[in-house]
């Protein structure tokens, strides 16, 4: 296995979804791509991909945005992991998380998918739950709004003001996860909100 990291931003394809809460993972990848100076190109694995390094001489990363719908993200993720020879413990899924408040970033490895169909499909395709997750808080639906309706809506106007800071923090969390490890990244990002 190589020392390459595969970072996957979950979301749905198409401009009608690009501003949705469900696509926050792909928004984070756009931030990471701008940091490494890369442009996404279509890859045969049904994903848009940028290859590069974190910093000068830093770890090699493959940033990927599946071009499939969220609930069938596993196929492209598995294909990319095979193509780039990346073990599951070097796969990072960046995704929306309704179980943590908006403007919060949490990190973990393995565990349940919390009803997140994109994660469930990745776990099935990789045949393990033991990959890293950067969970970007989008908050819970108000009142009795259906969860699917909530995550398929754009961020509210007040949230849009803070969104660039949230994307920046999530991108920082990905970088820290790679360069310093899970525990260090958790201590920094989880302590910030306690």
């Amino acid at each position: 296995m190589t020392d390459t990291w595969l970072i996957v931003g979950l979301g749905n394809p198409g401009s009608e979804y690009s501003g949705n809460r469900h696509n926050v993972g792909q928004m984070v990848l756009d931030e990471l791509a701008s940091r490494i100076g890369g442009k996404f190109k279509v890859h045969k694995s049904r994903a848009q991909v940028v290859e590069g390094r974190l910093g000068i001489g830093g770890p090699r990363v493959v940033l990927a945005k599946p071009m499939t719908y969220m609930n069938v993200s596993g196929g492209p993720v598995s294909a990319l992991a095979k193509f780039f020879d990346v073990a599951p413990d070097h796969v990072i899924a960046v995704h929306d998380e309704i179980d943590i408040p908006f403007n919060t970033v949490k990190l973990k490895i393995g565990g349940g998918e919390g009803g997140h169909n994109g994660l469930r499909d990745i776990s099935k395709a990789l045949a393990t739950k033991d990959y890293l997750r950067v969970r970007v808080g989008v908050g819970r639906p108000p009142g009795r709004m259906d969860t699917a309706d909530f995550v398929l809506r754009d961020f509210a106007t007040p949230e849009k003001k803070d969104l660039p800071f949230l994307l920046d923090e999530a991108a920082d969390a990905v970088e820290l996860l790679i360069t310093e490890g899970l525990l260090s990244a958790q201590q920094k990002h989880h302590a910030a909100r306690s």
Side-chain angles (χ1 to χ4, degrees):
M1 291 284 167
T2 63
D3 217 21
T4 301
W5 290 84
L6 173 59
I7 306 157
V8 183
L10 298 187
N12 285 314
S15 57
E16 69 270 30
Y17 297 107
S18 63
N20 289 179
R21 289 177 178 87
H22 221 22
N23 275 45
V24 75
Q26 295 195 349
M27 296 176 202
V28 172
L29 259 70
D30 289 336
E31 170 61 26
L32 286 165
S34 74
R35 290 182 183 191
I36 66 171
K39 295 236 183 287
F40 283 97
K41 295 182 178 79
V42 175
H43 189 271
K44 65 181 182 179
S45 62
R46 293 179 302 153
Q48 295 179 331
V49 170
V50 172
E51 296 177 61
R53 292 197 176 274
L54 290 183
I56 297 166
R60 182 167 181 258
V61 295
V62 176
L63 309 178
K65 297 194 289 188
M67 296 184 322
T68 56
Y69 283 95
M70 170 79 83
N71 58 353
V72 287
S73 301
V77 173
S78 176
L80 287 163
K82 284 187 184 87
F83 183 86
F84 290 103
D85 197 25
V86 177
D89 67 350
H90 272 55
V91 173
I92 301 171
V94 185
H95 64 91
D96 60 311
E97 178 63 71
I98 63 166
D99 289 330
I100 55 178
F102 173 75
N103 230 358
T104 303
V105 175
K106 301 269 185 187
L107 304 95
K108 73 175 191 172
I109 187 167
E113 290 97 1
H116 198 294
N117 291 330
L119 293 177
R120 189 175 293 129
D121 200 57
I122 292 170
S123 297
K124 184 176 160 193
L126 293 178
T128 182
K129 294 182 180 190
D130 292 334
Y131 54 91
L132 295 151
R133 296 112 187 255
V134 174
R135 305 158 65 211
V136 184
V138 297
R140 294 206 64 81
R144 294 185 178 188
M145 182 188 285
D146 181 67
T147 301
D149 290 341
F150 178 69
V151 296
L152 291 174
R153 285 197 177 167
D154 286 2
F155 287 96
T157 303
E159 293 171 326
K160 285 179 184 172
K161 291 182 186 137
D162 289 325
L163 187 57
F165 303 105
L166 177 61
L167 300 178
D168 197 50
E169 183 183 346
D172 287 348
V174 170
E175 290 190 7
L176 199 61
L177 191 54
I178 292 169
T179 57
E180 295 188 26
L182 179 61
L183 190 59
S184 180
Q186 283 176 326
Q187 287 171 337
K188 180 175 189 322
H189 288 278
H190 295 193
R193 299 281 185 252
S194 53

